[in-house]
Amino acid sequence: MTDARALQAHLDQQRHAFAAEPFPSAATRRDRLARLARMTRQHRDEIIQAIHQDIGHRAEAETRLAEIAPLLMAIRHARRHLKRWMASRRAAVPWRLLPGRARIHRQPLGVVGIIAPANYPWGLALLPAVDALAAGNRVMLKPSEQTPTTSALLAQLAERYFATDELSVVTGDTATAQAFAALPFDHLLFTGSPRVGREVARAAAEHLTPVTLELGGKAPAIVAEDADLAHAARRIAFGKWLNAGRTCIAPDPVLVDAARLPAFIEAIRAVVKGFYPAGTASDDYSAVPGEGARQRLEGMLAEARDHGCRVIELGERQAFSHGAKLPPTLVIDPTANLAIMQEEVFGPWLPVIGVRDFDAALARVAAGPSPLALYAFTDDPARRRQLLEQTRSGGVVFNDTLWHGVVPALPFGGIGESGMGAYHGETGFLRFSHPRSVFLQARHNAVGLIDPPWRRWWLRLLGL
């Protein structure tokens, strides 16, 4: 479907269907969500195998934990709260307009476009669709061309469980994705890199299509002086090496008190050995797919070595036909000008930087681009409050990593360089709805007293 006219015809079909049913009932919306859940549950093993094939090796538990479970939780949450989300809200009316009444009517937008990434090809394709369908919209979805097996399975199952004018999947290469982004959707959501996000926003601007951009970047983790190092190392290691570091909210870098840096390194060593006893040969450790991604990561590491950084590899490399297992690797005290500090790592390298104290770490984070996620390990309420007041980020997690992204009731989204807009739960429902203002004038009212001709004394009496 690389032809722009074919894509436009597909969009027109969905627009026509939406026009025939512009405000789907709660029962219709719940049914669509139920079919989405059934499609995922009944074909779970096929989904796991498809993702495994696309990546080269993906731990089954990671797919269950990071893609299937969050999607099913989001669907349950939406179905449970849908009636309340759909209900009109009363709005206060100024006394001069009484006894008129006002309310806010949450209206579906129409057709929502979704462009999904390759790192979580099932979950990040369908999580936005949950919110869009709950809000009463039709959905066109473009999965990543880098995960052809998963994308083909998604397209095949979508045809089986949904009418093409409800939810449809468009597969194709980069040219298809570019043509997709240029369609005049009622809303477009993109998940991916800031570089591609800018291109998507420019394409959408041609039609004034509103966009939600879920981008990446650095996600610093601060280990304060009062933190339990063993606990911090365990939670950072989990967040970092899930999916071999290919998570947009993976910790990157770690900022730790310089005096405790050696102890933190040893704690990380112990955790990695416990997580992956067989090293990268462990079935629980995932691969990095694509020659381009591997070359980028190896170049990043080589540059750090060339500039005198201490590099600690915690495993061996293993190559596959279209992927490789790259070991968990610590890069100690890289300077700010290196690529590993300028770019999102999006792989298993973890920069670890010694800082003077918590205040220095906080100042460093506040001076940089606003991250999609920010992590801090501290039990001090004053430090937590200080972090919340002095930094900006899409989300914050204390004493853990990642988990805010799977809480259905929490908004997920970036700010500044890490994106614009948020979704998940009611926030996502509102993202894909129009808050339509409604004013109902009473048959007998006093607004006629404000009609011209106006007299100064009367305007003063009314407080105008």
Side-chain angles (χ1 to χ4, degrees):
M1 293 187 74
T2 56
D3 182 63
R5 287 175 297 179
L7 287 172
Q8 182 63 55
H10 200 56
L11 174 60
D12 292 341
Q13 179 192 27
Q14 291 215 339
R15 284 200 187 284
H16 180 75
F18 177 77
E21 189 184 20
F23 195 84
S25 67
T28 296
R29 302 184 197 196
R30 285 197 181 99
D31 172 65
R32 290 171 181 167
L33 293 172
R35 278 183 274 150
L36 197 62
R38 193 160 61 248
M39 182 177 84
T40 299
R41 277 196 307 266
Q42 293 184 352
H43 300 276
R44 183 185 62 191
D45 292 342
E46 296 170 62
I47 296 165
I48 291 170
Q49 185 55 40
I51 295 173
H52 176 88
Q53 184 174 333
D54 281 328
I55 291 178
H57 178 85
R58 161 73 84 77
E60 178 179 335
E62 287 188 345
T63 300
R64 287 172 177 255
L65 179 68
E67 303 216 48
I68 293 173
L71 177 64
L72 296 178
M73 284 193 297
I75 292 171
R76 282 195 298 270
H77 182 78
R79 295 184 80 233
R80 183 178 299 123
H81 296 281
L82 186 59
K83 187 175 180 180
R84 178 175 62 83
W85 295 349
M86 290 177 63
S88 293
R89 267 50 176 180
R90 292 183 61 183
V93 175
W95 67 266
R96 299 176 188 87
L97 299 180
L98 292 173
R101 290 172 290 162
R103 59 189 174 92
I104 300 169
H105 177 70
R106 294 176 170 179
Q107 184 176 34
L109 294 176
V111 181
V112 172
I114 298 170
I115 302 177
N119 56 328
Y120 293 104
W122 193 267
L124 291 181
L126 293 179
L127 275 169
V130 171
D131 297 343
L133 291 173
N137 300 285
R138 309 286 168 144
V139 174
M140 284 179 64
L141 200 163
K142 170 61 178 73
S144 174
E145 59 276 8
Q146 298 175 31
T147 53
T149 308
T150 308
S151 298
L153 177 64
L154 181 55
Q156 172 194 338
L157 294 179
E159 284 187 4
R160 190 184 309 177
Y161 284 84
F162 292 90
T164 56
D165 59 15
E166 285 181 308
L167 182 150
S168 64
V169 176
V170 174
T171 58
D173 58 12
T174 304
T176 305
Q178 291 171 342
F180 188 93
L183 292 173
F185 291 111
D186 296 292
H187 197 101
L188 178 62
L189 182 141
F190 166 82
T191 303
S193 71
R195 178 185 62 80
V196 180
R198 287 182 173 88
E199 295 175 7
V200 169
R202 278 193 290 267
E206 182 67 25
H207 300 288
L208 295 180
T209 299
V211 295
T212 297
L213 301 178
E214 300 299 345
L215 311 178
K218 313 298 271 185
I222 300 173
V223 182
E225 295 90 329
D226 67 309
D228 181 313
L229 281 185
H231 172 77
R234 188 174 186 86
R235 302 324 307 154
I236 289 170
F238 174 84
K240 178 59 187 180
W241 290 299
L242 181 79
N243 200 30
R246 297 174 64 247
T247 304
C248 59
I249 52 174
D252 165 28
V254 176
L255 306 174
V256 60
D257 179 12
R260 305 179 82 195
L261 181 57
F264 179 78
I265 292 171
E266 292 309 309
I268 283 282
R269 282 185 188 272
V271 170
V272 171
K273 187 174 181 181
F275 279 2
Y276 313 110
T280 53
S282 170
D283 283 342
D284 292 330
Y285 191 75
S286 295
V288 173
E291 183 61 28
R294 294 197 299 278
Q295 288 180 359
R296 183 186 71 87
L297 287 166
E298 293 290 10
M300 190 181 281
L301 200 62
E303 182 192 39
R305 279 197 177 99
D306 290 344
H307 283 75
C309 295
R310 182 183 173 199
V311 175
I312 304 171
E313 295 190 3
L314 304 176
E316 303 294 329
R317 285 162 170 72
Q318 290 193 345
F320 300 96
S321 58
H322 62 286
K325 286 189 174 183
L326 303 177
T329 299
L330 306 180
V331 180
I332 311 303
D333 286 329
T335 54
N337 62 314
L338 298 181
I340 200 168
M341 292 303 296
Q342 291 290 318
E343 305 171 14
E344 178 183 6
V345 172
F346 210 64
W349 316 152
L350 178 61
V352 182
I353 301 168
V355 294
R356 185 181 68 252
D357 53 22
F358 181 82
D359 287 342
L362 211 60
R364 183 172 185 143
V365 171
S370 301
L372 184 56
L374 174 58
Y375 306 112
F377 291 82
T378 177
D379 292 322
D380 185 345
R383 283 182 172 144
R384 293 179 182 176
R385 184 172 59 254
Q386 184 184 4
L387 180 142
L388 291 173
E389 292 175 354
Q390 296 183 10
T391 64
R392 299 196 318 162
S393 67
V396 172
V397 179
F398 291 108
N399 295 334
D400 213 327
T401 59
L402 305 188
W403 291 116
H404 67 298
V406 298
V407 178
L410 284 178
F412 183 86
I415 180 172
E417 281 289 307
S418 59
M420 63 173 72
Y423 68 111
H424 286 195
E426 187 173 13
T427 300
F429 182 95
L430 294 174
R431 175 65 49 189
F432 300 120
S433 300
H434 170 59
R436 193 178 193 181
S437 57
V438 179
F439 181 77
L440 177 62
Q441 184 60 274
R443 180 179 296 274
H444 302 290
N445 60 77
V447 294
L449 298 175
I450 310 177
D451 292 346
W454 293 297
R455 297 174 178 83
R456 287 183 176 275
W457 66 268
W458 183 241
L459 294 177
R460 286 198 299 272
L461 183 63
L462 294 176
L464 298 175

